[in-house]
């Protein structure tokens, strides 16, 4: 039995309606995909901004430590009148920086350094701060060498690196279960002997 013209017309209208609905659904789907893509982009941007702020805070913390260290050494080396004065001041400074209570600062600093992995922006900021500290210490040591307060045997930048490695590297003792006051005393004795040899060998006779 053949369809009537009315039935054919109704079928055509239904097909057209279905096509329109398909277009609407397809458009809605595209908008949904677009919204999801936009949302993902916004999430990525928020994470990026958060990461930048976190990196900036970590870098600032590191830079503050650098500034404190530079100021302390400038006072110590700038006020010394003789090799013995400087040696005594450096011994006192070593005893202060090696206090167990300051291990928190060292752990934080080590954590910031470790956090540079895969973060070139943070690494660049820390490199700038660290280079600035080493430059300052190198200049101070070189000035003291020229004033006859420090032995000229070793390059001032190498000595500057030693001082920093000595101060930061002692963080390892925080994870030594036998790290007591007696152990601290033994370490200070060793470090003082090393400092005396590297910085003052031939300048002090006692």
């Amino acid at each position: 039995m053949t369809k009537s013209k009315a039935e054919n017309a109704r079928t055509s209208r239904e097909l057209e309606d279905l096509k329109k609905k398909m277009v609407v659904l397809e458009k809605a789907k595209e908008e949904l995909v677009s919204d999801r893509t936009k949302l993902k982009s916004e999430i990525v941007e928020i994470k990026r901004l958060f990461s930048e702020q976190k990196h900036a805070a970590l870098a600032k913390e590191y830079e503050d430590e650098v500034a404190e260290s530079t100021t302390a050494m400038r006072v110590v080396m700038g006020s010394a009148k003789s090799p013995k004065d400087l040696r005594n001041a450096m011994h006192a400074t070593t005893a202060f920086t090696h206090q167990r209570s300051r291990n928190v600062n060292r752990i934080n600093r080590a954590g910031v350094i470790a956090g540079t992995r895969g973060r070139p922006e943070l690494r660049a900021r820390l490199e700038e701060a660290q280079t600035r500290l080493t430059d300052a210490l190198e200049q101070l040591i070189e000035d003291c060498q020229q004033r006859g307060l420090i032995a000229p045997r070793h390059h001032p930048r190498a000595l500057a690196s030693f001082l920093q490695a000595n101060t930061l590297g002692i963080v390892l003792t925080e994870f030594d279960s036998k790290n007591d006051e007696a152990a601290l005393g033994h370490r200070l004795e060793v470090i003082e002997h090393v400092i005396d040899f590297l910085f003052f060998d031939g300048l002090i006779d006692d």
Side-chain angles (χ1 to χ4, degrees), residues 99-110:
Q99 289 178 0
R100 296 180 65 187
S101 61
R102 294 187 63 81
N103 270 342
V104 174
N105 303 65
R106 282 184 275 272
I107 290 174
N108 290 341
R109 195 169 178 181

Side-chain angles (χ1 to χ4, degrees), residues 16-34:
E16 287 298 321
D17 289 342
L18 286 173
K19 288 180 180 179
K20 291 178 181 179
K21 290 179 179 179
M22 288 294 292
V23 170
V24 171
L25 288 173
E26 191 64 31
K27 184 177 180 181
K29 179 182 176 182
E30 291 175 356
E31 291 177 349
L32 179 60
V33 171
S34 177

Side-chain angles (χ1 to χ4, degrees), residues 62-63 65-71 73 109 126-140 157 160 164:
Y62 192 92
E63 289 166 354
E65 289 279 340
V66 164
E68 180 184 10
S69 299
T70 304
T71 300
M73 292 308 297
R109 195 169 178 181
L126 260 62
E127 281 184 357
E128 180 182 351
Q130 181 58 52
T131 301
R132 187 166 62 250
L133 171 58
T134 306
D135 286 346
L137 290 178
E138 178 185 15
Q139 186 60 58
L140 288 169
R157 195 170 191 86
Q164 296 173 82

